Amino acid sequence: MKLRVLSDIHIDNWKGVKTPEEIISADKYPADAILMAGDFGNSIDEIQSALSAASDAYPQCFFCLGNHDLCVHWDAKTIGTTERKIDAVRTFSSSHTNLHMLDGTVEPLGSFRIGGCTGWWDPDFDDPLVEFRWKHEWFDGANMNYGNLRSATVKEQGKLRAVLAQHPDIMMTHFAPVTINTNPEYKWSAANKYFYFYPGNYDWSGVKYWICGHTHDAHVSRYKDTVILCNPY
Protein backbone atom coordinates (compact mmCIF):
# COMPACT_ATOMS: atom_id res chain seq x y z
CA MET A 1 0.00 0.00 0.00
CA LYS A 2 1.31 3.43 -0.99
CA LEU A 3 0.46 6.41 1.23
CA ARG A 4 0.89 10.13 0.71
CA VAL A 5 1.46 12.25 3.82
CA LEU A 6 0.53 15.92 3.77
CA SER A 7 -0.03 18.65 6.34
CA ASP A 8 -0.50 22.39 6.78
CA ILE A 9 -1.73 23.23 3.30
CA HIS A 10 -3.45 26.42 4.58
CA ILE A 11 -5.42 26.96 1.40
CA ASP A 12 -6.32 30.48 2.53
CA ASN A 13 -2.68 31.41 1.88
CA TRP A 14 -2.88 30.14 -1.71
CA LYS A 15 -5.96 31.99 -2.93
CA GLY A 16 -5.32 33.34 -6.40
CA VAL A 17 -2.18 31.20 -6.69
CA LYS A 18 -3.25 27.56 -6.42
CA THR A 19 -6.61 25.87 -6.02
CA PRO A 20 -7.19 23.12 -3.44
CA GLU A 21 -7.34 20.68 -6.35
CA GLU A 22 -3.89 21.77 -7.56
CA ILE A 23 -2.40 21.54 -4.07
CA ILE A 24 -3.76 18.06 -3.38
CA SER A 25 -3.54 16.70 -6.92
CA ALA A 26 -2.58 13.04 -7.14
CA ASP A 27 -0.97 13.47 -10.57
CA LYS A 28 2.55 13.82 -9.14
CA TYR A 29 1.93 11.78 -5.99
CA PRO A 30 -0.36 8.82 -6.75
CA ALA A 31 -1.22 6.70 -3.73
CA ASP A 32 -3.84 4.36 -2.31
CA ALA A 33 -4.62 6.86 0.44
CA ILE A 34 -3.66 10.33 1.59
CA LEU A 35 -3.01 11.07 5.26
CA MET A 36 -3.54 14.74 6.15
CA ALA A 37 -2.41 16.08 9.53
CA GLY A 38 -4.52 19.21 9.76
CA ASP A 39 -4.51 22.95 9.09
CA PHE A 40 -6.58 22.93 5.92
CA GLY A 41 -7.66 26.54 6.41
CA ASN A 42 -9.29 28.96 8.81
CA SER A 43 -12.94 28.78 7.78
CA ILE A 44 -15.33 25.85 7.48
CA ASP A 45 -15.67 26.57 3.75
CA GLU A 46 -11.90 26.28 3.29
CA ILE A 47 -11.77 23.02 5.22
CA GLN A 48 -14.62 21.54 3.19
CA SER A 49 -13.01 22.66 -0.08
CA ALA A 50 -9.75 20.96 0.86
CA LEU A 51 -11.47 17.76 1.95
CA SER A 52 -13.57 17.67 -1.21
CA ALA A 53 -10.39 17.95 -3.28
CA ALA A 54 -8.78 15.12 -1.30
CA SER A 55 -11.88 12.97 -1.67
CA ASP A 56 -11.87 13.46 -5.43
CA ALA A 57 -8.11 12.90 -5.81
CA TYR A 58 -7.52 9.79 -3.70
CA PRO A 59 -9.34 6.51 -3.07
CA GLN A 60 -9.17 7.11 0.70
CA CYS A 61 -8.39 10.15 2.87
CA PHE A 62 -7.64 9.96 6.59
CA PHE A 63 -7.31 13.28 8.40
CA CYS A 64 -7.19 15.08 11.71
CA LEU A 65 -7.85 18.74 12.39
CA GLY A 66 -5.20 21.36 13.15
CA ASN A 67 -5.17 24.38 15.40
CA HIS A 68 -6.27 26.71 12.58
CA ASP A 69 -9.14 24.34 11.77
CA LEU A 70 -10.39 24.66 15.36
CA CYS A 71 -10.54 28.45 15.22
CA VAL A 72 -13.95 30.07 14.81
CA HIS A 73 -13.15 33.75 14.32
CA TRP A 74 -13.94 33.33 10.60
CA ASP A 75 -17.13 31.36 11.33
CA ALA A 76 -18.43 33.34 14.31
CA LYS A 77 -21.80 34.13 12.73
CA THR A 78 -22.51 30.62 11.42
CA ILE A 79 -20.85 28.25 13.90
CA GLY A 80 -19.71 30.13 16.98
CA THR A 81 -17.86 27.48 18.99
CA THR A 82 -14.96 25.14 18.32
CA GLU A 83 -17.02 22.10 19.32
CA ARG A 84 -19.71 22.99 16.77
CA LYS A 85 -17.05 23.43 14.11
CA ILE A 86 -15.61 19.97 14.88
CA ASP A 87 -19.14 18.56 14.58
CA ALA A 88 -19.67 20.40 11.27
CA VAL A 89 -16.50 18.87 9.80
CA ARG A 90 -17.52 15.45 11.09
CA THR A 91 -20.93 15.78 9.42
CA PHE A 92 -19.32 16.82 6.15
CA SER A 93 -16.82 13.96 6.34
CA SER A 94 -19.60 11.46 6.98
CA SER A 95 -21.24 12.47 3.70
CA HIS A 96 -18.23 11.13 1.78
CA THR A 97 -17.56 7.42 1.99
CA ASN A 98 -13.81 7.83 1.50
CA LEU A 99 -13.22 10.58 4.08
CA HIS A 100 -12.19 9.35 7.53
CA MET A 101 -12.00 11.94 10.29
CA LEU A 102 -9.71 10.95 13.14
CA ASP A 103 -10.83 12.73 16.29
CA GLY A 104 -10.02 10.42 19.17
CA THR A 105 -10.75 7.41 16.95
CA VAL A 106 -8.99 4.46 15.33
CA GLU A 107 -9.81 3.06 11.88
CA PRO A 108 -8.49 0.24 9.66
CA LEU A 109 -6.06 1.19 6.90
CA GLY A 110 -5.32 -1.90 4.86
CA SER A 111 -3.59 -4.31 7.21
CA PHE A 112 -2.79 -1.48 9.64
CA ARG A 113 -4.75 0.50 12.19
CA ILE A 114 -4.51 4.28 12.16
CA GLY A 115 -5.61 6.52 15.00
CA GLY A 116 -5.55 10.22 15.45
CA CYS A 117 -6.75 13.52 16.86
CA THR A 118 -5.57 17.12 16.88
CA GLY A 119 -3.23 16.65 19.83
CA TRP A 120 -2.44 19.52 22.20
CA TRP A 121 0.35 21.27 24.03
CA ASP A 122 1.23 20.93 27.73
CA PRO A 123 0.11 24.06 29.61
CA ASP A 124 1.79 24.76 32.93
CA PHE A 125 -1.24 25.36 35.11
CA ASP A 126 1.03 26.29 38.02
CA ASP A 127 1.71 29.49 36.09
CA PRO A 128 -1.07 31.97 37.00
CA LEU A 129 -0.65 33.74 33.66
CA VAL A 130 -0.78 30.68 31.40
CA GLU A 131 -4.45 31.21 30.47
CA PHE A 132 -4.03 34.96 29.94
CA ARG A 133 -1.02 34.50 27.66
CA TRP A 134 -2.76 31.82 25.60
CA LYS A 135 -5.92 33.91 25.20
CA HIS A 136 -4.25 37.24 24.49
CA GLU A 137 -0.80 36.50 23.09
CA TRP A 138 -1.30 33.40 20.97
CA PHE A 139 -3.29 32.77 17.77
CA ASP A 140 -5.15 29.71 19.06
CA GLY A 141 -6.44 31.22 22.27
CA ALA A 142 -7.47 34.42 20.52
CA ASN A 143 -9.39 32.68 17.72
CA MET A 144 -10.81 29.48 19.23
CA ASN A 145 -13.97 29.37 21.31
CA TYR A 146 -13.30 26.12 23.16
CA GLY A 147 -14.05 27.09 26.74
CA ASN A 148 -11.17 27.92 29.05
CA LEU A 149 -7.68 26.54 28.52
CA ARG A 150 -8.03 23.82 31.14
CA SER A 151 -11.25 22.42 29.66
CA ALA A 152 -9.83 22.52 26.12
CA THR A 153 -6.70 20.73 27.35
CA VAL A 154 -8.73 18.02 29.11
CA LYS A 155 -10.78 17.42 25.94
CA GLU A 156 -7.89 17.18 23.49
CA GLN A 157 -5.44 15.34 25.73
CA GLY A 158 -8.26 12.95 26.61
CA LYS A 159 -8.70 12.11 22.92
CA LEU A 160 -4.98 11.54 22.57
CA ARG A 161 -4.88 9.11 25.48
CA ALA A 162 -8.01 7.31 24.27
CA VAL A 163 -6.42 6.61 20.89
CA LEU A 164 -3.03 5.57 22.26
CA ALA A 165 -4.75 3.16 24.66
CA GLN A 166 -5.79 1.20 21.54
CA HIS A 167 -2.15 0.94 20.36
CA PRO A 168 -2.62 1.83 16.68
CA ASP A 169 0.16 1.05 14.18
CA ILE A 170 0.02 4.60 12.83
CA MET A 171 -0.74 7.68 14.90
CA MET A 172 -1.59 11.06 13.41
CA THR A 173 -1.80 14.38 15.24
CA HIS A 174 -1.40 17.98 14.18
CA PHE A 175 0.67 18.96 17.21
CA ALA A 176 4.14 17.41 17.22
CA PRO A 177 4.87 14.75 19.84
CA VAL A 178 8.49 15.75 20.48
CA THR A 179 10.67 18.86 20.22
CA ILE A 180 13.44 17.19 18.23
CA ASN A 181 11.97 18.58 14.99
CA THR A 182 12.45 22.17 16.12
CA ASN A 183 14.01 24.37 13.46
CA PRO A 184 17.31 25.69 14.88
CA GLU A 185 16.09 29.18 13.99
CA TYR A 186 13.41 28.86 16.70
CA LYS A 187 15.41 26.85 19.23
CA TRP A 188 15.00 29.45 21.98
CA SER A 189 11.57 30.75 21.04
CA ALA A 190 9.13 31.10 23.95
CA ALA A 191 6.36 30.09 21.53
CA ASN A 192 7.73 26.55 21.07
CA LYS A 193 5.54 25.27 23.88
CA TYR A 194 2.46 25.83 21.69
CA PHE A 195 3.70 23.38 19.04
CA TYR A 196 4.61 20.24 20.98
CA PHE A 197 3.66 17.96 23.83
CA TYR A 198 5.95 15.95 26.07
CA PRO A 199 6.14 12.33 24.90
CA GLY A 200 6.83 10.97 28.38
CA ASN A 201 3.24 11.79 29.36
CA TYR A 202 1.86 9.15 27.00
CA ASP A 203 2.19 5.44 26.26
CA TRP A 204 3.45 5.07 22.68
CA SER A 205 3.75 1.29 22.72
CA GLY A 206 2.84 -0.31 19.40
CA VAL A 207 2.98 2.92 17.38
CA LYS A 208 5.27 2.30 14.41
CA TYR A 209 4.78 5.65 12.69
CA TRP A 210 3.68 9.02 14.06
CA ILE A 211 2.55 11.61 11.51
CA CYS A 212 2.34 15.26 12.53
CA GLY A 213 2.56 18.81 11.23
CA HIS A 214 2.19 22.26 12.80
CA THR A 215 5.89 23.20 12.85
CA HIS A 216 5.99 24.12 9.12
CA ASP A 217 9.24 22.19 8.77
CA ALA A 218 9.40 18.76 7.14
CA HIS A 219 11.45 16.18 9.05
CA VAL A 220 11.87 12.46 9.49
CA SER A 221 13.11 11.49 12.94
CA ARG A 222 12.76 8.77 15.55
CA TYR A 223 11.66 8.58 19.16
CA LYS A 224 12.51 5.20 20.70
CA ASP A 225 10.86 2.63 18.36
CA THR A 226 8.61 5.13 16.54
CA VAL A 227 9.42 6.85 13.24
CA ILE A 228 8.10 10.43 13.22
CA LEU A 229 7.05 11.96 9.92
CA CYS A 230 6.62 15.70 10.24
CA ASN A 231 5.61 16.70 6.74
CA PRO A 232 3.97 20.12 6.25
CA TYR A 233 3.12 21.30 2.75
Side-chain angles (χ1 to χ4, degrees), residues 106-167:
V106 177
E107 297 212 16
L109 173 57
S111 60
F112 298 97
R113 296 166 66 247
I114 181 170
C117 57
T118 299
W120 203 247
W121 60 294
D122 293 318
D124 178 9
F125 289 112
D126 290 331
D127 178 357
L129 294 178
V130 65
E131 174 101 26
F132 178 87
R133 292 193 181 105
W134 185 70
K135 282 281 189 182
H136 298 280
E137 298 176 3
W138 190 242
F139 178 89
D140 299 0
N143 292 291
M144 291 181 188
N145 183 7
Y146 208 5
N148 61 36
L149 177 58
R150 187 178 293 275
S151 66
T153 300
V154 168
K155 291 170 190 172
E156 290 302 325
Q157 288 185 349
K159 294 175 185 178
L160 187 53
R161 289 191 171 89
V163 174
L164 289 173
Q166 300 179 60
H167 306 291

Side-chain angles (χ1 to χ4, degrees), residues 18-170:
K18 285 186 178 182
T19 65
E21 291 75 15
E22 290 171 326
I23 294 171
I24 303 173
S25 172
D27 292 345
K28 291 184 179 179
Y29 304 99
D32 299 297
I34 185 171
L35 312 183
M36 305 186 75
D39 270 8
F40 300 97
N42 289 320
S43 71
I44 187 66
D45 289 341
E46 290 164 352
I47 296 169
Q48 291 177 350
S49 294
L51 291 175
S52 291
S55 175
D56 291 341
Y58 288 91
Q60 301 293 328
C61 171
F62 295 81
F63 71 94
C64 65
L65 296 178
N67 60 310
H68 279 253
D69 304 319
L70 300 188
C71 292
V72 295
H73 173 80
W74 294 264
D75 304 292
K77 293 182 179 179
T78 56
I79 293 179
T81 70
T82 294
E83 288 177 315
R84 289 178 183 171
K85 190 170 186 181
I86 293 171
D87 287 341
V89 177
R90 183 179 293 109
T91 298
F92 180 82
S93 175
S94 298
S95 68
H96 295 68
T97 58
N98 66 338
L99 289 180
H100 309 275
M101 179 175 173
L102 301 174
D103 186 44
T105 50
V106 177
E107 297 212 16
L109 173 57
S111 60
F112 298 97
R113 296 166 66 247
I114 181 170
C117 57
T118 299
W120 203 247
W121 60 294
D122 293 318
D124 178 9
F125 289 112
D126 290 331
D127 178 357
L129 294 178
V130 65
E131 174 101 26
F132 178 87
R133 292 193 181 105
W134 185 70
K135 282 281 189 182
H136 298 280
E137 298 176 3
W138 190 242
F139 178 89
D140 299 0
N143 292 291
M144 291 181 188
N145 183 7
Y146 208 5
N148 61 36
L149 177 58
R150 187 178 293 275
S151 66
T153 300
V154 168
K155 291 170 190 172
E156 290 302 325
Q157 288 185 349
K159 294 175 185 178
L160 187 53
R161 289 191 171 89
V163 174
L164 289 173
Q166 300 179 60
H167 306 291
D169 303 291
I170 303 171

